[in-house]
Amino acid sequence: MANSMMDQDILKVLYTPEQIRARVQELGDALYEAFQGRNPLFLGVLKGSFIFMADIIRACQVKSDLEFIAVSSYQNGTKSSGVVQILHDLQQDITGREIVVIEDILDSGNTLFFLKNYFMTKGAKSVTIVTLLDKPSRRAKAITADYAGFVVPDEFVVGYGLDYAQQYRNLPYIGVLKPEVYTKRAD
Ligand code: IMP
Ligand code: MG
């Protein structure tokens, strides 16, 4: 694969496409064991989870359907604002459903803390949290993932769906962004 201009903004690669694929399959196998016969609703948190969502549903061949919700807690910076806004709401009734939330990264926990309560308020029977990445060092809310792909250090990561200011989502690996890329901006 040709090197991209984006690669120059990456300090180091944390997980290669091969490592991601192997770990996603392990998560898919675990979810299969947990959810076969239960018709779960896979619920992706946009935009960051869209690539993980596409891969995990194919790695878990249970009868299921899927839904998305779009939220925002960042204003193009690298720190959560703490206020979660719904940008695109659920398009179906989730009463009585077993929800499997698919998220890219659990950081401060603000997003998933809010969403878990939101889905319970909407009548979900259960809410299971699946996150590709977990950054526990930054947790501000009492929330844990039921399934986590990789535990990452307190560095800003991009790729495989994760962005900085909406860019780098299309990198096939997960890497640490060079701090000078975001510190040169005035946010
Ligand atoms: P939380 O609400 O702080 O847990 O953050 C959750 C959301 O923040 C994730 O869904 C990501 O969209 C974003 N986020 C947190 N940490 C990172 C990171 O290191 N890189 C890219 N996005 C991140
Ligand atoms: Mg996200």
Side-chain angles (χ1 to χ4, degrees):
M1 203 187 309
N3 279 2
S4 73
M5 293 287 286
M6 290 184 289
D7 291 334
Q8 299 167 11
D9 294 340
I10 302 302
L11 190 64
K12 60 177 185 259
V13 174
L14 288 182
Y15 304 106
T16 64
E18 293 71 30
Q19 289 173 311
I20 297 169
R21 196 173 311 120
R23 186 65 185 127
V24 169
Q25 188 56 58
E26 286 176 359
L27 292 174
D29 291 344
L31 290 172
Y32 182 88
E33 289 305 317
F35 286 98
Q36 58 173 319
R38 289 168 59 181
N39 191 32
L41 177 64
F42 285 95
L43 207 166
V45 185
L46 292 173
K47 300 173 189 164
S49 72
F50 78 111
I51 295 178
F52 181 39
M53 179 72 149
D55 286 346
I56 193 98
I57 59 168
R58 287 176 293 172
C60 180
Q61 294 288 309
V62 296
K63 197 157 179 255
S64 58
D65 50 334
L66 64 88
E67 177 62 285
F68 289 101
I69 192 166
V71 296
S72 167
S73 65
Y74 284 29
Q75 268 85 52
N76 276 355
T78 61
K79 297 252 157 49
S80 171
S81 68
V83 181
V84 181
Q85 244 186 303
I86 296 179
L87 304 177
H88 172 80
D89 209 342
L90 301 172
Q91 300 295 302
Q92 62 179 274
D93 182 11
I94 61 166
T95 307
R97 297 299 309 268
E98 301 219 63
I99 307 295
V100 180
V101 182
I102 304 297
E103 176 63 304
D104 54 355
I105 184 166
L106 177 51
D107 185 28
S108 71
N110 288 327
T111 305
L112 284 174
F113 184 83
F114 170 86
L115 285 177
K116 188 169 186 173
N117 288 328
Y118 184 66
F119 299 146
M120 292 311 288
T121 307
K122 292 274 178 189
K125 181 178 175 190
S126 65
V127 178
T128 299
I129 293 176
V130 181
T131 186
L132 179 67
L133 305 178
D134 190 1
K135 216 190 257 181
S137 55
R138 303 230 315 168
R139 203 61 39 81
K141 289 274 166 47
I143 186 129
T144 51
D146 298 288
Y147 300 86
F150 302 104
V151 175
V152 292
D154 185 10
E155 292 172 298
F156 199 78
V157 297
V158 294
Y160 192 73
L162 291 113
D163 72 306
Y164 168 65
Q166 302 303 328
Q167 299 200 313
Y168 307 100
R169 293 193 196 275
N170 54 337
L171 287 174
Y173 55 83
I174 295 168
V176 176
L177 192 62
K178 286 181 180 165
E180 61 258 38
V181 175
Y182 51 83
T183 48
K184 70 180 176 221
R185 290 174 55 114
D187 53 24

PDB file of all heavy atoms in Angstrom, residues 58-91:
ATOM      1  N   ARG A  58     -20.035  -8.596  10.916  1.00  0.00           N
ATOM      2  CA  ARG A  58     -19.694  -9.736  10.060  1.00  0.00           C
ATOM      3  C   ARG A  58     -18.883 -10.785  10.812  1.00  0.00           C
ATOM      4  O   ARG A  58     -18.819 -11.937  10.394  1.00  0.00           O
ATOM      5  CB  ARG A  58     -18.948  -9.260   8.808  1.00  0.00           C
ATOM      6  CG  ARG A  58     -19.888  -8.551   7.833  1.00  0.00           C
ATOM      7  CD  ARG A  58     -19.148  -7.999   6.654  1.00  0.00           C
ATOM      8  NE  ARG A  58     -18.268  -6.909   7.072  1.00  0.00           N
ATOM      9  CZ  ARG A  58     -17.377  -6.325   6.277  1.00  0.00           C
ATOM     10  NH1 ARG A  58     -17.211  -6.764   5.037  1.00  0.00           N
ATOM     11  NH2 ARG A  58     -16.643  -5.338   6.721  1.00  0.00           N
ATOM     12  N   ALA A  59     -18.268 -10.366  11.926  1.00  0.00           N
ATOM     13  CA  ALA A  59     -17.496 -11.306  12.755  1.00  0.00           C
ATOM     14  C   ALA A  59     -18.392 -12.032  13.749  1.00  0.00           C
ATOM     15  O   ALA A  59     -17.927 -12.887  14.502  1.00  0.00           O
ATOM     16  CB  ALA A  59     -16.396 -10.562  13.501  1.00  0.00           C
ATOM     17  N   CYS A  60     -19.681 -11.687  13.766  1.00  0.00           N
ATOM     18  CA  CYS A  60     -20.612 -12.271  14.745  1.00  0.00           C
ATOM     19  C   CYS A  60     -21.890 -12.649  14.011  1.00  0.00           C
ATOM     20  O   CYS A  60     -22.790 -11.823  13.852  1.00  0.00           O
ATOM     21  CB  CYS A  60     -20.896 -11.252  15.850  1.00  0.00           C
ATOM     22  SG  CYS A  60     -22.028 -11.858  17.105  1.00  0.00           S
ATOM     23  N   GLN A  61     -21.969 -13.908  13.583  1.00  0.00           N
ATOM     24  CA  GLN A  61     -23.082 -14.344  12.741  1.00  0.00           C
ATOM     25  C   GLN A  61     -24.281 -14.786  13.584  1.00  0.00           C
ATOM     26  O   GLN A  61     -24.705 -15.943  13.526  1.00  0.00           O
ATOM     27  CB  GLN A  61     -22.619 -15.466  11.809  1.00  0.00           C
ATOM     28  CG  GLN A  61     -21.576 -15.005  10.786  1.00  0.00           C
ATOM     29  CD  GLN A  61     -22.191 -14.128   9.708  1.00  0.00           C
ATOM     30  OE1 GLN A  61     -23.194 -14.503   9.104  1.00  0.00           O
ATOM     31  NE2 GLN A  61     -21.618 -12.954   9.480  1.00  0.00           N
ATOM     32  N   VAL A  62     -24.810 -13.833  14.380  1.00  0.00           N
ATOM     33  CA  VAL A  62     -26.069 -14.115  15.074  1.00  0.00           C
ATOM     34  C   VAL A  62     -27.182 -13.368  14.362  1.00  0.00           C
ATOM     35  O   VAL A  62     -26.943 -12.334  13.726  1.00  0.00           O
ATOM     36  CB  VAL A  62     -26.057 -13.677  16.564  1.00  0.00           C
ATOM     37  CG1 VAL A  62     -25.034 -14.454  17.362  1.00  0.00           C
ATOM     38  CG2 VAL A  62     -25.851 -12.184  16.714  1.00  0.00           C
ATOM     39  N   LYS A  63     -28.399 -13.881  14.470  1.00  0.00           N
ATOM     40  CA  LYS A  63     -29.539 -13.180  13.917  1.00  0.00           C
ATOM     41  C   LYS A  63     -29.700 -11.889  14.717  1.00  0.00           C
ATOM     42  O   LYS A  63     -29.771 -11.915  15.949  1.00  0.00           O
ATOM     43  CB  LYS A  63     -30.791 -14.055  14.032  1.00  0.00           C
ATOM     44  CG  LYS A  63     -31.916 -13.616  13.152  1.00  0.00           C
ATOM     45  CD  LYS A  63     -32.875 -14.763  12.855  1.00  0.00           C
ATOM     46  CE  LYS A  63     -33.996 -14.255  11.982  1.00  0.00           C
ATOM     47  NZ  LYS A  63     -35.260 -14.068  12.710  1.00  0.00           N
ATOM     48  N   SER A  64     -29.713 -10.767  14.030  1.00  0.00           N
ATOM     49  CA  SER A  64     -29.654  -9.467  14.717  1.00  0.00           C
ATOM     50  C   SER A  64     -30.074  -8.401  13.718  1.00  0.00           C
ATOM     51  O   SER A  64     -30.196  -8.671  12.530  1.00  0.00           O
ATOM     52  CB  SER A  64     -28.221  -9.188  15.170  1.00  0.00           C
ATOM     53  OG  SER A  64     -27.343  -9.208  14.044  1.00  0.00           O
ATOM     54  N   ASP A  65     -30.269  -7.200  14.194  1.00  0.00           N
ATOM     55  CA  ASP A  65     -30.436  -6.080  13.271  1.00  0.00           C
ATOM     56  C   ASP A  65     -29.600  -4.922  13.778  1.00  0.00           C
ATOM     57  O   ASP A  65     -28.922  -5.045  14.801  1.00  0.00           O
ATOM     58  CB  ASP A  65     -31.904  -5.710  13.032  1.00  0.00           C
ATOM     59  CG  ASP A  65     -32.712  -5.545  14.293  1.00  0.00           C
ATOM     60  OD1 ASP A  65     -32.358  -6.144  15.316  1.00  0.00           O
ATOM     61  OD2 ASP A  65     -33.702  -4.805  14.270  1.00  0.00           O
ATOM     62  N   LEU A  66     -29.602  -3.838  13.035  1.00  0.00           N
ATOM     63  CA  LEU A  66     -28.727  -2.761  13.461  1.00  0.00           C
ATOM     64  C   LEU A  66     -29.373  -1.399  13.348  1.00  0.00           C
ATOM     65  O   LEU A  66     -30.343  -1.193  12.620  1.00  0.00           O
ATOM     66  CB  LEU A  66     -27.380  -2.806  12.728  1.00  0.00           C
ATOM     67  CG  LEU A  66     -27.316  -2.597  11.231  1.00  0.00           C
ATOM     68  CD1 LEU A  66     -27.184  -1.132  10.892  1.00  0.00           C
ATOM     69  CD2 LEU A  66     -26.108  -3.344  10.681  1.00  0.00           C
ATOM     70  N   GLU A  67     -28.808  -0.496  14.114  1.00  0.00           N
ATOM     71  CA  GLU A  67     -29.334   0.864  14.241  1.00  0.00           C
ATOM     72  C   GLU A  67     -28.143   1.777  14.532  1.00  0.00           C
ATOM     73  O   GLU A  67     -27.083   1.304  14.956  1.00  0.00           O
ATOM     74  CB  GLU A  67     -30.345   0.873  15.413  1.00  0.00           C
ATOM     75  CG  GLU A  67     -30.958   2.205  15.768  1.00  0.00           C
ATOM     76  CD  GLU A  67     -31.772   2.795  14.648  1.00  0.00           C
ATOM     77  OE1 GLU A  67     -31.145   3.291  13.687  1.00  0.00           O
ATOM     78  OE2 GLU A  67     -33.015   2.779  14.717  1.00  0.00           O
ATOM     79  N   PHE A  68     -28.326   3.057  14.276  1.00  0.00           N
ATOM     80  CA  PHE A  68     -27.268   4.024  14.577  1.00  0.00           C
ATOM     81  C   PHE A  68     -27.837   5.200  15.356  1.00  0.00           C
ATOM     82  O   PHE A  68     -29.017   5.549  15.225  1.00  0.00           O
ATOM     83  CB  PHE A  68     -26.635   4.563  13.280  1.00  0.00           C
ATOM     84  CG  PHE A  68     -25.784   3.563  12.548  1.00  0.00           C
ATOM     85  CD1 PHE A  68     -26.273   2.892  11.432  1.00  0.00           C
ATOM     86  CD2 PHE A  68     -24.491   3.300  12.965  1.00  0.00           C
ATOM     87  CE1 PHE A  68     -25.488   1.963  10.749  1.00  0.00           C
ATOM     88  CE2 PHE A  68     -23.692   2.376  12.292  1.00  0.00           C
ATOM     89  CZ  PHE A  68     -24.198   1.713  11.181  1.00  0.00           C
ATOM     90  N   ILE A  69     -26.959   5.819  16.133  1.00  0.00           N
ATOM     91  CA  ILE A  69     -27.288   7.099  16.743  1.00  0.00           C
ATOM     92  C   ILE A  69     -26.049   7.967  16.539  1.00  0.00           C
ATOM     93  O   ILE A  69     -24.921   7.453  16.557  1.00  0.00           O
ATOM     94  CB  ILE A  69     -27.655   6.946  18.240  1.00  0.00           C
ATOM     95  CG1 ILE A  69     -28.274   8.224  18.794  1.00  0.00           C
ATOM     96  CG2 ILE A  69     -26.448   6.499  19.074  1.00  0.00           C
ATOM     97  CD1 ILE A  69     -28.969   8.034  20.152  1.00  0.00           C
ATOM     98  N   ALA A  70     -26.239   9.245  16.294  1.00  0.00           N
ATOM     99  CA  ALA A  70     -25.082  10.136  16.128  1.00  0.00           C
ATOM    100  C   ALA A  70     -25.069  11.125  17.276  1.00  0.00           C
ATOM    101  O   ALA A  70     -26.086  11.763  17.576  1.00  0.00           O
ATOM    102  CB  ALA A  70     -25.148  10.866  14.793  1.00  0.00           C
ATOM    103  N   VAL A  71     -23.925  11.221  17.940  1.00  0.00           N
ATOM    104  CA  VAL A  71     -23.790  12.147  19.055  1.00  0.00           C
ATOM    105  C   VAL A  71     -22.508  12.949  18.883  1.00  0.00           C
ATOM    106  O   VAL A  71     -21.629  12.586  18.114  1.00  0.00           O
ATOM    107  CB  VAL A  71     -23.739  11.405  20.410  1.00  0.00           C
ATOM    108  CG1 VAL A  71     -25.029  10.683  20.693  1.00  0.00           C
ATOM    109  CG2 VAL A  71     -22.554  10.475  20.491  1.00  0.00           C
ATOM    110  N   SER A  72     -22.448  14.013  19.628  1.00  0.00           N
ATOM    111  CA  SER A  72     -21.251  14.833  19.581  1.00  0.00           C
ATOM    112  C   SER A  72     -20.933  15.311  20.986  1.00  0.00           C
ATOM    113  O   SER A  72     -21.822  15.772  21.705  1.00  0.00           O
ATOM    114  CB  SER A  72     -21.494  16.031  18.672  1.00  0.00           C
ATOM    115  OG  SER A  72     -20.469  16.975  18.858  1.00  0.00           O
ATOM    116  N   SER A  73     -19.689  15.162  21.386  1.00  0.00           N
ATOM    117  CA  SER A  73     -19.298  15.731  22.677  1.00  0.00           C
ATOM    118  C   SER A  73     -18.028  16.563  22.534  1.00  0.00           C
ATOM    119  O   SER A  73     -17.546  17.135  23.484  1.00  0.00           O
ATOM    120  CB  SER A  73     -19.107  14.640  23.730  1.00  0.00           C
ATOM    121  OG  SER A  73     -18.034  13.816  23.389  1.00  0.00           O
ATOM    122  N   TYR A  74     -17.485  16.587  21.316  1.00  0.00           N
ATOM    123  CA  TYR A  74     -16.258  17.349  21.044  1.00  0.00           C
ATOM    124  C   TYR A  74     -16.624  18.514  20.140  1.00  0.00           C
ATOM    125  O   TYR A  74     -17.448  18.375  19.262  1.00  0.00           O
ATOM    126  CB  TYR A  74     -15.230  16.487  20.285  1.00  0.00           C
ATOM    127  CG  TYR A  74     -14.507  15.468  21.106  1.00  0.00           C
ATOM    128  CD1 TYR A  74     -15.089  14.895  22.235  1.00  0.00           C
ATOM    129  CD2 TYR A  74     -13.232  15.058  20.759  1.00  0.00           C
ATOM    130  CE1 TYR A  74     -14.411  13.959  22.976  1.00  0.00           C
ATOM    131  CE2 TYR A  74     -12.549  14.118  21.499  1.00  0.00           C
ATOM    132  CZ  TYR A  74     -13.156  13.568  22.603  1.00  0.00           C
ATOM    133  OH  TYR A  74     -12.489  12.634  23.330  1.00  0.00           O
ATOM    134  N   GLN A  75     -15.971  19.619  20.353  1.00  0.00           N
ATOM    135  CA  GLN A  75     -16.121  20.704  19.379  1.00  0.00           C
ATOM    136  C   GLN A  75     -14.833  20.847  18.563  1.00  0.00           C
ATOM    137  O   GLN A  75     -14.146  21.853  18.625  1.00  0.00           O
ATOM    138  CB  GLN A  75     -16.482  22.027  20.059  1.00  0.00           C
ATOM    139  CG  GLN A  75     -17.996  22.243  20.151  1.00  0.00           C
ATOM    140  CD  GLN A  75     -18.592  21.582  21.377  1.00  0.00           C
ATOM    141  OE1 GLN A  75     -18.129  21.797  22.484  1.00  0.00           O
ATOM    142  NE2 GLN A  75     -19.628  20.768  21.183  1.00  0.00           N
ATOM    143  N   ASN A  76     -14.487  19.756  17.870  1.00  0.00           N
ATOM    144  CA  ASN A  76     -13.298  19.724  17.028  1.00  0.00           C
ATOM    145  C   ASN A  76     -11.971  19.826  17.776  1.00  0.00           C
ATOM    146  O   ASN A  76     -10.942  20.051  17.185  1.00  0.00           O
ATOM    147  CB  ASN A  76     -13.341  20.808  15.934  1.00  0.00           C
ATOM    148  CG  ASN A  76     -14.125  20.324  14.726  1.00  0.00           C
ATOM    149  OD1 ASN A  76     -14.539  19.170  14.687  1.00  0.00           O
ATOM    150  ND2 ASN A  76     -14.313  21.189  13.752  1.00  0.00           N
ATOM    151  N   GLY A  77     -12.000  19.658  19.078  1.00  0.00           N
ATOM    152  CA  GLY A  77     -10.747  19.632  19.832  1.00  0.00           C
ATOM    153  C   GLY A  77     -10.377  18.195  20.153  1.00  0.00           C
ATOM    154  O   GLY A  77     -10.805  17.275  19.479  1.00  0.00           O
ATOM    155  N   THR A  78      -9.579  17.985  21.171  1.00  0.00           N
ATOM    156  CA  THR A  78      -9.188  16.627  21.544  1.00  0.00           C
ATOM    157  C   THR A  78      -9.674  16.279  22.948  1.00  0.00           C
ATOM    158  O   THR A  78      -9.359  15.237  23.456  1.00  0.00           O
ATOM    159  CB  THR A  78      -7.651  16.444  21.486  1.00  0.00           C
ATOM    160  OG1 THR A  78      -7.044  17.341  22.409  1.00  0.00           O
ATOM    161  CG2 THR A  78      -7.123  16.699  20.090  1.00  0.00           C
ATOM    162  N   LYS A  79     -10.453  17.158  23.576  1.00  0.00           N
ATOM    163  CA  LYS A  79     -10.999  16.874  24.905  1.00  0.00           C
ATOM    164  C   LYS A  79     -12.522  16.919  24.844  1.00  0.00           C
ATOM    165  O   LYS A  79     -13.109  17.797  24.205  1.00  0.00           O
ATOM    166  CB  LYS A  79     -10.512  17.919  25.923  1.00  0.00           C
ATOM    167  CG  LYS A  79      -9.005  17.898  26.115  1.00  0.00           C
ATOM    168  CD  LYS A  79      -8.628  17.318  27.473  1.00  0.00           C
ATOM    169  CE  LYS A  79      -7.213  16.770  27.514  1.00  0.00           C
ATOM    170  NZ  LYS A  79      -6.186  17.666  26.995  1.00  0.00           N
ATOM    171  N   SER A  80     -13.160  15.988  25.546  1.00  0.00           N
ATOM    172  CA  SER A  80     -14.616  15.965  25.587  1.00  0.00           C
ATOM    173  C   SER A  80     -15.136  17.229  26.263  1.00  0.00           C
ATOM    174  O   SER A  80     -14.606  17.657  27.277  1.00  0.00           O
ATOM    175  CB  SER A  80     -15.071  14.732  26.378  1.00  0.00           C
ATOM    176  OG  SER A  80     -16.446  14.793  26.610  1.00  0.00           O
ATOM    177  N   SER A  81     -16.200  17.794  25.714  1.00  0.00           N
ATOM    178  CA  SER A  81     -16.785  18.988  26.328  1.00  0.00           C
ATOM    179  C   SER A  81     -17.643  18.596  27.533  1.00  0.00           C
ATOM    180  O   SER A  81     -18.015  19.442  28.330  1.00  0.00           O
ATOM    181  CB  SER A  81     -17.645  19.738  25.306  1.00  0.00           C
ATOM    182  OG  SER A  81     -18.789  18.965  24.997  1.00  0.00           O
ATOM    183  N   GLY A  82     -17.978  17.308  27.633  1.00  0.00           N
ATOM    184  CA  GLY A  82     -18.795  16.837  28.746  1.00  0.00           C
ATOM    185  C   GLY A  82     -20.285  16.887  28.456  1.00  0.00           C
ATOM    186  O   GLY A  82     -21.070  16.197  29.079  1.00  0.00           O
ATOM    187  N   VAL A  83     -20.685  17.694  27.510  1.00  0.00           N
ATOM    188  CA  VAL A  83     -22.100  17.810  27.147  1.00  0.00           C
ATOM    189  C   VAL A  83     -22.341  16.975  25.892  1.00  0.00           C
ATOM    190  O   VAL A  83     -21.727  17.209  24.866  1.00  0.00           O
ATOM    191  CB  VAL A  83     -22.494  19.281  26.878  1.00  0.00           C
ATOM    192  CG1 VAL A  83     -23.968  19.391  26.518  1.00  0.00           C
ATOM    193  CG2 VAL A  83     -22.161  20.144  28.080  1.00  0.00           C
ATOM    194  N   VAL A  84     -23.234  15.987  26.033  1.00  0.00           N
ATOM    195  CA  VAL A  84     -23.493  15.107  24.896  1.00  0.00           C
ATOM    196  C   VAL A  84     -24.740  15.581  24.170  1.00  0.00           C
ATOM    197  O   VAL A  84     -25.793  15.777  24.778  1.00  0.00           O
ATOM    198  CB  VAL A  84     -23.669  13.645  25.362  1.00  0.00           C
ATOM    199  CG1 VAL A  84     -23.912  12.729  24.181  1.00  0.00           C
ATOM    200  CG2 VAL A  84     -22.432  13.191  26.142  1.00  0.00           C
ATOM    201  N   GLN A  85     -24.599  15.770  22.888  1.00  0.00           N
ATOM    202  CA  GLN A  85     -25.707  16.236  22.055  1.00  0.00           C
ATOM    203  C   GLN A  85     -26.098  15.124  21.093  1.00  0.00           C
ATOM    204  O   GLN A  85     -25.214  14.531  20.462  1.00  0.00           O
ATOM    205  CB  GLN A  85     -25.179  17.373  21.181  1.00  0.00           C
ATOM    206  CG  GLN A  85     -25.778  18.733  21.406  1.00  0.00           C
ATOM    207  CD  GLN A  85     -25.229  19.674  20.356  1.00  0.00           C
ATOM    208  OE1 GLN A  85     -24.014  19.843  20.248  1.00  0.00           O
ATOM    209  NE2 GLN A  85     -26.121  20.256  19.570  1.00  0.00           N
ATOM    210  N   ILE A  86     -27.398  14.849  20.960  1.00  0.00           N
ATOM    211  CA  ILE A  86     -27.830  13.881  19.949  1.00  0.00           C
ATOM    212  C   ILE A  86     -28.000  14.610  18.626  1.00  0.00           C
ATOM    213  O   ILE A  86     -28.791  15.548  18.518  1.00  0.00           O
ATOM    214  CB  ILE A  86     -29.148  13.193  20.370  1.00  0.00           C
ATOM    215  CG1 ILE A  86     -28.913  12.369  21.631  1.00  0.00           C
ATOM    216  CG2 ILE A  86     -29.674  12.304  19.239  1.00  0.00           C
ATOM    217  CD1 ILE A  86     -30.150  11.668  22.159  1.00  0.00           C
ATOM    218  N   LEU A  87     -27.242  14.177  17.623  1.00  0.00           N
ATOM    219  CA  LEU A  87     -27.298  14.827  16.303  1.00  0.00           C
ATOM    220  C   LEU A  87     -28.249  14.087  15.368  1.00  0.00           C
ATOM    221  O   LEU A  87     -28.828  14.677  14.467  1.00  0.00           O
ATOM    222  CB  LEU A  87     -25.903  14.868  15.671  1.00  0.00           C
ATOM    223  CG  LEU A  87     -24.808  15.539  16.516  1.00  0.00           C
ATOM    224  CD1 LEU A  87     -23.459  15.442  15.806  1.00  0.00           C
ATOM    225  CD2 LEU A  87     -25.148  17.002  16.799  1.00  0.00           C
ATOM    226  N   HIS A  88     -28.363  12.772  15.590  1.00  0.00           N
ATOM    227  CA  HIS A  88     -29.269  11.937  14.785  1.00  0.00           C
ATOM    228  C   HIS A  88     -29.808  10.872  15.724  1.00  0.00           C
ATOM    229  O   HIS A  88     -29.042  10.058  16.247  1.00  0.00           O
ATOM    230  CB  HIS A  88     -28.511  11.313  13.610  1.00  0.00           C
ATOM    231  CG  HIS A  88     -29.305  10.296  12.841  1.00  0.00           C
ATOM    232  ND1 HIS A  88     -30.245  10.633  11.897  1.00  0.00           N
ATOM    233  CD2 HIS A  88     -29.307   8.948  12.897  1.00  0.00           C
ATOM    234  CE1 HIS A  88     -30.788   9.534  11.403  1.00  0.00           C
ATOM    235  NE2 HIS A  88     -30.235   8.501  11.991  1.00  0.00           N
ATOM    236  N   ASP A  89     -31.108  10.879  15.944  1.00  0.00           N
ATOM    237  CA  ASP A  89     -31.705  10.021  16.978  1.00  0.00           C
ATOM    238  C   ASP A  89     -32.051   8.634  16.426  1.00  0.00           C
ATOM    239  O   ASP A  89     -32.021   8.405  15.209  1.00  0.00           O
ATOM    240  CB  ASP A  89     -32.953  10.709  17.552  1.00  0.00           C
ATOM    241  CG  ASP A  89     -33.214  10.323  19.011  1.00  0.00           C
ATOM    242  OD1 ASP A  89     -32.669   9.299  19.468  1.00  0.00           O
ATOM    243  OD2 ASP A  89     -33.975  11.053  19.670  1.00  0.00           O
ATOM    244  N   LEU A  90     -32.401   7.726  17.325  1.00  0.00           N
ATOM    245  CA  LEU A  90     -32.871   6.395  16.951  1.00  0.00           C
ATOM    246  C   LEU A  90     -34.046   6.511  15.990  1.00  0.00           C
ATOM    247  O   LEU A  90     -34.891   7.390  16.146  1.00  0.00           O
ATOM    248  CB  LEU A  90     -33.335   5.637  18.203  1.00  0.00           C
ATOM    249  CG  LEU A  90     -32.289   5.434  19.302  1.00  0.00           C
ATOM    250  CD1 LEU A  90     -32.956   4.857  20.549  1.00  0.00           C
ATOM    251  CD2 LEU A  90     -31.177   4.530  18.804  1.00  0.00           C
ATOM    252  N   GLN A  91     -34.117   5.600  15.051  1.00  0.00           N
ATOM    253  CA  GLN A  91     -35.203   5.609  14.074  1.00  0.00           C
ATOM    254  C   GLN A  91     -36.190   4.481  14.332  1.00  0.00           C
ATOM    255  O   GLN A  91     -36.976   4.125  13.457  1.00  0.00           O
ATOM    256  CB  GLN A  91     -34.636   5.486  12.646  1.00  0.00           C
ATOM    257  CG  GLN A  91     -33.682   6.615  12.261  1.00  0.00           C
ATOM    258  CD  GLN A  91     -34.378   7.960  12.205  1.00  0.00           C
ATOM    259  OE1 GLN A  91     -35.338   8.135  11.457  1.00  0.00           O
ATOM    260  NE2 GLN A  91     -33.918   8.905  13.012  1.00  0.00           N
TER     261      GLN A  91
END
